Amino acid sequence: MFKLNRKNGVSFYTITSFEETGLVKHGFSTREGGISEGCYSSMNLRFHCDDKRENVLENYRIISNALGMDYRKLVLSKQVHEDVIHTVSEEDIGNGIIYENKFESVDALITDKKGIPLVTLFADCVPLYFLDRRLGVAALAHSGWKGTVKRIGQKTVQKMKSDYNSRAEDILAAIGPSIQECHFEVGDDVAEIFIKEFGSETAVSYGDKYHVNMQKAIVKQLLECGIPPENIDNSGICTYCNSDLLFSHRKTNGKRGNLGAFIELI
C-alpha cells in the first residue's frame, strides 16, 4: 500500500511493504513542500528548465531531509526512455547533484551498497521500486510507454537475479503514481504494440480512441519473472487525476516540474 505522509510541510508517499522490512529509506515526492513557483510549484525536482537551479537544489535538500537522506549523496538517473540499467557504486555519489550528470543513458539504477540514495524522475511515466528483502538489493526504474515495451522492469529484475543471485520470491516490487488507463490516450500504432506484446486487456477502446494501461503490462512482466502477485504493490494513483498534488505532463502540456522516486539501503 502507498501511504501519503506529511512532515514539516512536505508530503510524500511511502510503501508499507518496504517500510516493514526495515532495510530502506524511501519515498515518492509530491508537489508540496518546495520553494519553486508558477507551473513548477512547489517541489520541482527538474533541472534544465525555466526554474532556477538554486530552487531545484533547495527542493532536493528539503525532500531528502524529510526522507532522512543526505541530498549531497544522491545519484540521479539520466532518463531517455531506453532500457539501460546502471549498477551504482560509491564512485557515483553526487551524480546529477554535486556535479553534472555523467550518464548518457540510464533509465534504471540498482545497488547493494548502503547509504547511497538512488533517484529517478517522473511526471506521468511509471516509477518502479524493487527490493530484495533477503540480500539487501534495491533498484528503481523509469518505465514510460517505450520503456514498458522494452520491458525495463523485467530487465531490472533479471539483473537482480544475474548480478546478485536474487530470488524472485524475495523481491518486493511497487508501481508508483503514474498516468492511468483513464487518461492515457494513445494512437492506434502504440495500442497495437501493447496488444501484441501484453494482450488486449492492456489497450482498451474508449470510443474511437485507445487508452493504454501500462500498469497491467508491467504487472504481467513481473509475474513472468516469477515475482509472486502478493509481492507486487500497485498504487493505482493517477498523476493526471491528481495534478493538484502530482505533476502531470499530459495535463499541463509539458508545463510542469518533476516528481522523484527515492530509495536508499540502510
Side-chain angles (χ1 to χ4, degrees):
M1 182 179 71
F2 278 71
K3 177 178 65 176
L4 185 61
N5 308 266
R6 286 189 167 86
K7 182 178 180 181
N8 299 327
V10 181
S11 64
F12 56 92
Y13 290 95
T14 52
I15 309 159
T16 303
S17 59
F18 281 54
E19 286 182 312
E20 290 173 347
T21 67
L23 295 174
V24 291
K25 302 173 184 178
H26 74 287
F28 187 78
S29 69
T30 71
R31 297 183 62 168
E32 296 179 344
I35 65 168
S36 297
E37 298 178 346
C39 65
Y40 303 111
S41 176
S42 63
M43 183 59 76
N44 170 39
L45 302 178
R46 179 187 181 189
F47 289 114
H48 307 299
C49 65
D50 293 334
D51 199 1
K52 295 178 181 178
R53 179 174 176 81
E54 55 265 32
N55 287 351
V56 181
L57 280 172
E58 179 62 9
N59 289 339
Y60 273 106
R61 189 196 67 78
I62 292 169
I63 184 63
S64 297
N65 184 61
L67 298 175
M69 300 175 180
D70 184 344
Y71 84 100
R72 297 166 298 183
K73 293 184 177 181
L74 299 176
V75 178
L76 273 60
S77 55
K78 184 66 174 291
Q79 297 161 197
V80 294
H81 299 276
E82 289 293 339
D83 58 356
V84 176
I85 304 164
H86 178 75
T87 301
V88 173
S89 69
E90 288 84 356
E91 295 178 355
D92 300 310
I93 289 174
N95 181 68
I97 288 289
I98 301 304
Y99 56 88
E100 190 68 24
N101 199 312
K102 66 182 179 181
F103 301 146
E104 293 184 5
S105 171
V106 172
D107 277 80
L109 300 167
I110 186 169
T111 195
D112 64 349
K113 307 299 182 186
K114 295 180 180 180
I116 305 179
L118 314 180
V119 185
T120 46
L121 301 169
F122 303 89
D124 278 342
C125 293
V126 186
L128 300 180
Y129 292 75
F130 299 98
L131 177 62
D132 182 330
R133 57 189 171 183
R134 178 175 66 96
L135 297 177
V137 181
L140 295 174
H142 163 261
S143 190
W145 78 260
K146 291 180 180 178
T148 300
V149 170
K150 292 177 180 178
R151 297 175 180 262
I152 190 166
Q154 190 171 63
K155 290 175 180 177
T156 302
V157 172
Q158 290 168 346
K159 190 170 182 66
M160 294 175 75
K161 290 179 177 180
S162 64
D163 291 11
Y164 299 95
N165 294 317
S166 293
R167 303 181 306 202
E169 61 267 29
D170 296 319
I171 297 174
L172 299 177
I175 301 171
S178 44
I179 195 166
Q180 306 285 310
E181 177 189 303
C182 53
H183 284 103
F184 193 33
E185 181 183 308
V186 300
D188 292 353
D189 55 340
V190 175
E192 289 171 6
I193 293 171
F194 271 80
I195 291 169
K196 180 180 178 180
E197 290 290 327
F198 308 112
S200 58
E201 69 274 14
T202 63
V204 180
S205 176
Y206 280 55
D208 59 349
K209 299 290 184 181
Y210 277 104
H211 286 214
V212 155
N213 191 316
M214 290 188 289
Q215 295 78 16
K216 281 186 178 180
I218 291 166
V219 168
K220 184 172 183 179
Q221 293 177 35
L222 301 181
L223 292 173
E224 287 175 358
C225 291
I227 296 181
E230 61 270 22
N231 286 16
I232 302 171
D233 193 329
N234 185 359
S235 72
I237 300 167
C238 181
T239 43
Y240 190 106
C241 292
N242 296 280
S243 60
D244 56 333
L245 183 63
L246 304 167
F247 290 117
S248 170
H249 184 86
R250 286 219 171 187
K251 182 69 174 285
T252 60
N253 294 314
K255 297 177 180 179
R256 47 78 187 172
N258 273 346
L259 308 163
F262 296 73
I263 195 166
E264 175 187 345
L265 292 165
I266 56 178

